[in-house]
Amino acid sequence: MAGPKTPVMQQHARAKGAYPDAIVFFRLGDFYEMFGDDAVLASRLLDLTLTSRNRGKPDEVPMAGVPHHAAHGYIAKLLELGHQVALCEQMADPSKVKGIVPREVVRVITPGLITDGSQLNAATNNWLFALEIAEGAVGVALLDLSTGELLAAELADLAQALAELTRAAPRELLLFGADEEARRAIAAAAPRVALRQGEPLDDAGAVLGDLDAADLPPTAVRAVARALAFARACTPGAELPVRRIARFDPDAAMIIDPVAQRHLELVESWSGLSSATLLAVVDATVTSAGARLLRRRLLSPLKDVERIRRRHDLVELFVVHARLRTEVRKALSDVTDLERLGVRASLGEATPRDLGLLRDGLGAAAETVGLLDAVDDAALRETLGIAQALPDTVDDVRELLSRALVERPPTQAKDGAIFQKGFDAELDELSELQQTGAERMVALEARLRDDTQIPTLKVRYTRVFGWYVEVSRSHAGKAPAEWRRKQTVASGERYTLDELDELSERITSAEERHRERELALLAELVRAAGQARSRIAELSARVARWDVAQGLADVAHRHDYSRPMVDDAERLEIRDGRHPVVERLAAAGRFVPNDVSLDVDGVRLWLVTGPNMAGKSTLLRQAALTCILAQMGSFVPAKSARVGVVDRVLSRVGASDDVARGESTFMVEMRETAEILRSATRRSLVILDEIGRGTSTFDGLAIAWAVAEHLDEAVGCRALFATHYHELTALADVSVHAENFSVSAREVGDDVVFLHQLVPGAASRSYGIAVAKLAGVPESVLARARAVLAKLERGGAAPSSKRKDQLDLFAPKGPEDAAGSEVLETLKQVDVDRLTPLDALTLLAKLKQKL
Ligand code: ADP
Ligand code: MG
């Protein structure tokens, strides 16, 4: 067992004791060391050499370390893997304290509490998500420490919480009061999140302090308290940059549940290709805060018609005033991440470089405001939100930073050269002193050379010995008696003398005082910027809204989107609509636009049939994406669109289509379908893509029929239903609300040409064999398929190679003849021109075998 610990290891034990869940990075000189289990774990995860400290002594422990200057990358890796890192720093300059240096944990970095810009994705919020399940309600709190935002709400049930969870895609989740089943559902909805189980919470009110939580429901208050308590424990000594709790109303947003979010590829595509998402094709923002805002809006479109129209107004303004858009866009492109820089300043973490970025960003934001202020028209000013007053551009801080900082301040404070000349008299005096000191050393050297008549005499400096006079061996005899010998080296003798000592003392102290002064001024500057954090955040929010609007306007202009008409009617009318992502991937001008028209009081259910690859899925999705775009405040890819507000978009895809999830089970499909039937309302838009596919034909058909009927009769919402079951099209005959459409294809010989054009009525046939041909299935197989199809269409059963009795059914004249007629049929169907020699041989062998 370990014996008595050395004082340093006692310090470590205290740090580890206070943060048992974190890997402790313990500062020893120029290294961060890890000890014990931390060292064993980290050496494996980070590929470090595992050594040990106090080897052979009673308190020997495993040890692994990383250089202080490279810690950054290692920490990022550990966070990526879901770990927490506690930074235990030296609280005093080791050269200035006698005995042991005091050490304290100054910050615990966890995946959900990162504030370092280089470890964050600029275009997404970095949420810490706290979820408290109690008494049938679910409280949620979302904290982004890097932006200082805190949102909270009470949700009705776990399903709603899972939707919020998918929307937020948090890095870290604090979970309280979840039973086993809830935990499993949560883990499935947020697979990449670091999950932490909660500890008891005594007094939520006390944790909240003076944050206003009035009219926030109790579970939400508790979730907020959980998030704050966790964040506070991880930032000891610093004040959290959170100024208010924004209560979000889950009912104000269109609900896009996790499955639909994935299926519609809003922010992530199945292929993992980030360019093939809705977000990617509508994101033309140029600032980080703008990109984050756009993402959030896209995942939570509004339901309030007035608010939606106001957003459209602003986009339209930038569409119409193209010149203004171009200028604003240019100015905005120099706006740095003010929101996060402000937070870093308020946490005392801002580097000189951060302050430089803040200065530049504030300048660009002020320039943007100036451009908008040049707009005279009162109505336009109203739309821009500057009719009453211009935003506070935090000029005082910008001016201070501009006066203080050099053009490109260094990344690390210790590198110096942060401040401009003329900013601080004392600092200037100290640099002057260093400068003149160096000059006086040169003068001293010349004088000593003169006095002693030693031409090789040099005044030199090393870190270890400080300043000295060096005289080569041959002249050593000429050194005056009052010089004191310091050291003998191969090249000669080194001396010191009173005058040199005095001068060197002055230079060294000037250097030291210069560094201290610089650090003190820097801290002052960081504090000044940190105090302006709320104002900076406010400015950043305004700028982000303009950025989102100009970006959407830019997309609308370049890709010919139109302003949708949003109202409360229960209708959806899209003229010449396009799929925003597919159209971008298709060759220019090749996308075929289509209309969609659904009306709860009229035809509200479309049954869409057509061959594979005709464009059914594309049509369904473009209808849903158009509603999402319209309600988030964007223009839409259509000639015109009228969107009656949709409360939720529900979208399911038949099991075998959902390849990326790897769960092609019928069970999953049915569970999701059940969820739709439970949660859809009259105001919902439901798109069902080939459901029922995951099971046998008759089961699948039966289920698809029942689901369509239920949607039609019980829910009565707007719905699009793509199906390969032609039998389903009969539903249109029995329901006045259902109608058939098909995506057309034309047959040219045996080839199929997809027109992608939607036409009324059900598709006549499925063209499956033509599609198989297009896909390169060998001619021998195609010929056989045509033969089988022909039989089936004549009302016979499919031939089977395994069961002889079925052959009888297939050909009543007896097995010999049956085989013969089958061979004949196959031969008739063969397209000789397309047969490769190998195909021909294979076919021949097969036919012969049949006979
Ligand atoms: P289905 O669901 O009917 O099998 P998809 O909707 O998956 O067909 O479409 C197949 C492919 O056809 C798409 O990937 C796209 O390349 C193309 N496509 C679909 N709709 C259109 C259209 N309206 N205009 C042009 N190409 C289209
Ligand atoms: Mg499809």
Side-chain angles (χ1 to χ4, degrees):
M1 254 334 286
K5 286 185 162 46
T6 59
V8 166
M9 290 314 291
Q10 281 171 15
Q11 277 184 335
H12 178 269
R14 263 197 305 278
K16 184 70 192 173
Y19 300 97
D21 296 336
I23 295 175
V24 175
F25 271 44
F26 191 80
R27 183 72 178 268
L28 278 177
D30 286 337
F31 277 79
Y32 283 116
E33 301 289 359
M34 284 152 276
F35 299 112
D37 293 345
D38 286 353
V40 175
L41 177 67
S43 66
R44 185 163 52 76
L45 298 178
L46 301 175
D47 203 11
L48 303 172
T49 314
L50 189 63
T51 58
S52 65
R53 183 173 169 94
N54 302 329
R55 188 183 296 281
K57 306 226 184 81
D59 60 345
E60 174 170 345
V61 280
M63 172 169 97
V66 299
H68 159 248
H69 62 83
H72 198 78
Y74 291 107
I75 293 172
K77 178 92 188 285
L78 289 174
L79 293 176
E80 195 59 44
L81 295 168
H83 294 281
Q84 317 181 17
V85 174
L87 292 181
C88 187
E89 294 286 358
Q90 297 174 159
M91 302 308 285
D93 186 342
S95 66
K96 290 204 176 134
V97 277
K98 283 204 217 82
I100 180 165
V101 190
R103 289 187 178 81
E104 269 170 38
V105 172
V106 296
R107 175 86 149 85
V108 183
I109 311 172
T110 80
L113 295 175
I114 300 171
T115 49
D116 179 351
S118 63
Q119 293 181 23
L120 289 166
N121 180 344
T124 55
N125 276 104
N126 195 63
W127 295 118
L128 168 75
F129 196 108
L131 203 155
E132 170 136 354
I133 304 175
E135 293 127 34
V138 184
V140 299
L142 286 101
L143 171 67
D144 183 344
L145 190 64
S146 71
T147 61
E149 288 162 289
L150 175 61
L151 314 175
E154 182 176 84
L155 308 174
D157 53 26
L158 188 63
Q160 218 174 31
L162 293 181
E164 292 304 331
L165 194 60
T166 315
R167 238 201 272 269
R171 286 288 300 277
E172 193 162 13
L173 179 64
L174 308 174
L175 189 55
F176 307 90
D179 58 18
E180 193 48 47
E181 194 190 329
R183 208 163 333 182
R184 219 171 311 122
I186 288 161
R192 277 172 307 207
V193 71
L195 198 89
R196 319 232 177 267
Q197 298 298 330
E199 288 154 35
L201 177 76
D202 300 330
D203 181 2
V207 182
L208 258 59
D210 47 8
L211 284 173
D212 180 13
D215 60 67
L216 202 60
T219 56
V221 169
R222 292 176 68 80
V224 165
R226 304 282 194 185
L228 289 176
F230 182 77
R232 227 168 252 149
C234 291
T235 51
E239 203 189 321
L240 290 182
V242 178
R243 292 287 162 275
R244 65 188 200 95
I245 306 171
R247 183 176 174 181
F248 73 92
D249 177 6
D251 293 330
M254 172 200 276
I255 294 176
I256 309 171
D257 67 4
V259 185
Q261 186 178 313
R262 220 168 23 232
H263 179 203
L264 295 171
E265 302 181 289
L266 299 185
V267 296
E268 237 173 86
S269 73
W270 288 2
S271 61
L273 203 68
S274 63
S275 61
T277 63
L278 181 64
L279 180 62
V281 300
V282 299
D283 185 0
T285 58
V286 291
T287 70
S288 305
R292 291 195 292 272
L293 180 62
L294 182 75
R295 183 193 173 93
R296 274 160 70 172
R297 287 190 177 175
L298 186 116
L299 291 174
S300 47
L302 297 173
K303 291 195 297 196
D304 182 274
V305 172
E306 272 314 305
R307 287 180 69 193
I308 295 169
R309 286 188 188 157
R310 276 202 297 277
R311 287 186 184 176
H312 289 153
D313 286 342
L314 189 56
V315 175
E316 183 169 297
L317 184 151
F318 283 118
V319 169
V320 173
H321 300 274
R323 170 97 174 277
L324 181 66
R325 179 178 80 239
T326 313
E327 287 171 356
V328 164
R329 197 170 160 78
K330 189 161 166 297
L332 284 174
S333 63
D334 290 327
V335 175
T336 49
D337 201 338
L338 300 176
E339 197 178 22
R340 282 182 169 161
L341 291 166
V343 166
R344 285 176 60 68
S346 81
L347 286 173
E349 291 175 353
T351 65
R353 185 167 171 274
D354 287 341
L355 293 180
L357 291 172
L358 184 59
R359 170 198 60 196
D360 301 344
L362 287 173
E367 194 190 326
T368 309
V369 172
L371 282 170
L372 297 178
D373 192 27
V375 172
D376 277 334
D377 186 276
L380 296 186
R381 291 181 76 88
E382 185 71 43
T383 303
L384 287 165
I386 55 168
Q388 272 72 43
L390 290 176
D392 170 8
T393 41
V394 203
D395 296 341
D396 48 336
V397 173
R398 175 169 49 90
E399 276 157 19
L400 174 64
L401 295 173
S402 301
R403 263 191 304 121
L405 297 169
V406 297
E407 170 91 28
R408 291 168 147 269
T411 314
Q412 298 202 0
K414 71 168 176 51
D415 294 344
I418 299 168
F419 294 96
Q420 277 183 42
K421 208 166 163 172
F423 172 63
D424 180 66
E426 190 181 332
L427 195 66
D428 287 348
E429 203 179 302
L430 290 168
S431 1
E432 178 102 9
L433 221 61
Q434 284 182 64
Q435 184 62 32
T436 54
E439 279 160 16
R440 284 170 65 181
M441 278 293 179
V442 175
L444 179 65
E445 185 183 65
R447 188 156 46 83
L448 290 177
R449 232 178 250 164
D450 233 36
D451 288 354
T452 57
Q453 291 296 307
I454 305 173
T456 57
L457 179 148
K458 286 180 247 162
V459 173
R460 285 288 178 269
Y461 173 83
T462 65
R463 269 180 74 94
V464 183
F465 287 105
W467 292 91
Y468 54 85
V469 179
E470 187 169 306
V471 175
S472 62
R473 180 145 302 155
S474 51
H475 291 98
K478 292 190 201 161
E482 67 270 22
W483 290 13
R484 296 182 298 278
R485 195 158 70 213
K486 244 181 145 177
Q487 195 192 15
T488 303
V489 290
S491 51
E493 298 288 343
R494 290 176 175 179
Y495 302 92
T496 180
L497 56 152
D498 290 347
E499 202 180 346
L500 182 69
D501 285 352
E502 265 164 45
L503 193 53
S504 81
E505 169 60 29
R506 281 177 61 179
I507 293 176
T508 323
S509 90
E511 267 171 15
E512 199 155 297
R513 280 162 56 209
H514 184 271
R515 195 171 56 233
E516 276 167 10
R517 179 73 190 158
E518 211 168 33
L519 290 179
L521 287 172
L522 179 65
E524 192 51 51
L525 216 52
V526 170
R527 198 169 315 124
Q531 262 159 10
R533 192 202 80 81
S534 303
R535 295 163 61 209
I536 294 171
E538 181 57 35
L539 176 64
S540 174
R542 296 289 290 273
V543 167
R545 291 202 283 274
W546 291 322
D547 188 25
V548 165
Q550 73 72 24
L552 290 174
D554 191 64
V555 170
H557 168 74
R558 273 187 292 136
H559 300 284
D560 201 18
Y561 287 15
S562 65
R563 177 174 176 152
M565 156 79 187
V566 175
D567 59 23
D568 277 319
E570 293 170 323
R571 290 162 67 172
L572 174 63
E573 265 163 45
I574 303 172
R575 288 263 322 279
D576 282 350
R578 286 124 45 202
H579 188 297
V581 180
V582 175
E583 98 167 319
R584 212 69 79 77
L585 300 177
R590 295 298 294 278
F591 193 89
V592 179
N594 277 306
D595 297 349
V596 169
S597 171
L598 301 171
D599 180 353
V600 164
D601 295 321
V603 173
R604 59 193 180 208
L605 170 65
W606 276 21
L607 295 160
V608 182
T609 45
N612 258 316
M613 293 299 287
K616 299 182 296 299
S617 301
T618 305
L619 178 84
L620 264 54
R621 286 176 211 187
Q622 83 192 30
L625 294 178
T626 299
C627 294
I628 289 172
L629 283 175
Q631 288 181 228
M632 73 165 278
S634 169
F635 282 22
V636 296
K639 186 177 266 171
S640 70
R642 182 168 169 198
V643 179
V645 165
V646 167
D647 68 349
R648 47 174 86 208
V649 164
L650 293 148
S651 148
R652 291 301 180 273
V653 62
S656 53
D657 253 17
D658 198 353
V659 276
R661 297 188 58 203
E663 285 181 290
S664 74
T665 68
F666 181 59
M667 182 66 191
V668 172
E669 183 189 329
M670 284 300 109
R671 201 184 307 130
E672 292 176 358
T673 305
E675 170 67 25
I676 286 199
L677 299 180
R678 259 202 308 276
S679 56
T681 74
R682 254 171 86 89
R683 276 228 160 263
S684 305
L685 176 69
V686 174
I687 66 176
L688 293 173
D689 196 350
E690 313 242 11
I691 66 154
R693 262 245 245 233
T695 183
S696 74
T697 310
F698 288 118
D699 280 5
L701 173 59
I703 289 168
W705 182 285
V707 168
E709 211 172 56
H710 179 86
L711 279 179
D712 178 29
E713 289 170 4
V715 181
C717 63
R718 290 162 282 180
L720 293 165
F721 203 131
T723 182
H724 59 292
Y725 293 125
H726 286 266
E727 295 84 345
L728 208 60
T729 57
L731 192 70
D733 301 333
V734 294
S735 166
V736 293
H737 295 298
E739 219 156 81
N740 284 317
F741 286 87
S742 59
V743 192
S744 58
R746 190 175 344 142
E747 262 183 302
V748 180
D750 309 323
D751 286 316
V752 58
V753 178
F754 296 120
L755 304 175
H756 303 302
Q757 182 76 54
L758 198 68
V759 293
S764 51
R765 46 178 301 193
S766 79
Y767 307 90
I769 295 174
V771 174
K773 178 173 163 189
L774 211 65
V777 172
E779 180 56 32
S780 56
V781 175
L782 294 178
R784 175 81 182 123
R786 280 185 211 106
V788 172
L789 182 66
K791 265 295 169 225
L792 283 172
E793 282 175 352
R794 261 178 261 138
S800 156
S801 51
K802 281 210 194 95
R803 297 182 53 192
K804 260 217 130 70
D805 54 336
Q806 278 211 341
L807 268 181
D808 295 345
L809 268 175
F810 187 64
K813 282 181 223 151
E816 262 309 285
D817 281 356
S821 75
E822 218 186 309
V823 167
L824 272 179
E825 185 66 31
T826 304
L827 278 173
K828 250 191 253 161
Q829 297 284 354
V830 123
D831 180 351
V832 179
D833 290 344
R834 292 179 54 103
L835 215 53
T836 66
L838 187 62
D839 265 352
L841 277 178
T842 319
L843 183 62
L844 196 59
K846 215 190 277 170
L847 295 180
K848 183 136 197 318
Q849 190 198 351
K850 283 212 182 303
L851 290 170

